[in-house]
């Protein structure tokens, strides 16, 4: 297994909270390479690139009420991608404990730097 460290920000919370948080913080939206957030519904458009350097845009739709993360997926394609939190935690390790991410009992999403280590 190969372990790699991803130092890009990650946002954790329910789908609705994550998108609202990103939308309210334009600097985070830029850092996450999110081009737009749907005005209706639970979706966003991210830009990315493939292993040949070809740029593309991809639309994602999140599941209502689901605990999720938006993080930078690194592999053949590099892009911002959503993933259910439980699935993310099976493949990666957040560098800060989840209890600290929630913000002392708050249900607000949290943006975290130095987000994950994954094993390939």
């Amino acid at each position: 297994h190969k372990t790699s460290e991803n130092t890009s920000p990650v946002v954790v919370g329910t789908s609705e909270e994550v998108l609202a948080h990103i939308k309210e913080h334009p600097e985070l939206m830029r850092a996450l390479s999110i081009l737009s957030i749907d005005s209706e519904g639970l979706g966003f458009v991210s830009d990315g690139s493939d292993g040949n350097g070809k740029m593309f845009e991809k639309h994602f739709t999140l599941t209502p009420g689901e605990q999720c993360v938006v993080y930078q997926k690194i592999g053949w394609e590099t892009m911002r991608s959503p993933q259910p939190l439980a699935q993310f935690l099976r493949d990666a390790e957040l560098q800060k404990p989840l209890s600290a991410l929630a913000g002392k009992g708050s249900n607000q999403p949290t943006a975290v730097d130095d987000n994950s280590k994954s094993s390939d």
Side-chain angles (χ1 to χ4, degrees):
H1 287 270
K2 183 179 96 176
T3 300
S4 59
E5 188 165 348
N6 180 343
T7 59
S8 299
V10 62
V11 183
V12 180
T14 67
S15 299
E16 295 85 352
E17 293 166 342
V18 164
L19 290 181
H21 183 77
I22 292 169
K23 193 172 187 176
E24 291 169 7
H25 296 88
E27 71 288 350
L28 179 61
M29 194 166 162
R30 283 189 297 277
L32 292 171
S33 300
I34 293 177
L35 304 175
S36 64
I37 294 176
D38 298 352
S39 57
E40 295 180 19
L42 290 172
F44 68 91
V45 176
S46 173
D47 67 358
S49 62
D50 67 19
N52 291 325
K54 181 180 175 189
M55 301 298 292
F56 61 87
E57 294 179 6
K58 186 166 182 174
H59 183 268
F60 295 96
T61 302
L62 284 66
T63 302
E66 182 174 63
Q67 287 290 320
C68 70
V69 298
V70 172
Y71 73 106
Q72 182 176 20
K73 173 184 171 272
I74 299 174
W76 172 253
E77 294 179 328
T78 298
M79 71 183 113
R80 296 301 167 176
S81 179
Q83 191 172 37
L85 180 59
Q87 183 179 345
F88 179 84
L89 293 174
R90 281 195 300 267
D91 300 329
E93 175 184 323
L94 288 167
Q95 295 300 297
K96 295 184 182 181
L98 286 177
S99 58
L101 299 181
K104 296 184 174 78
S106 165
N107 288 330
Q108 295 301 313
T110 303
V112 180
D113 289 324
D114 299 331
N115 66 4
S116 66
K117 288 185 179 180
S118 61
S119 297
D120 294 332

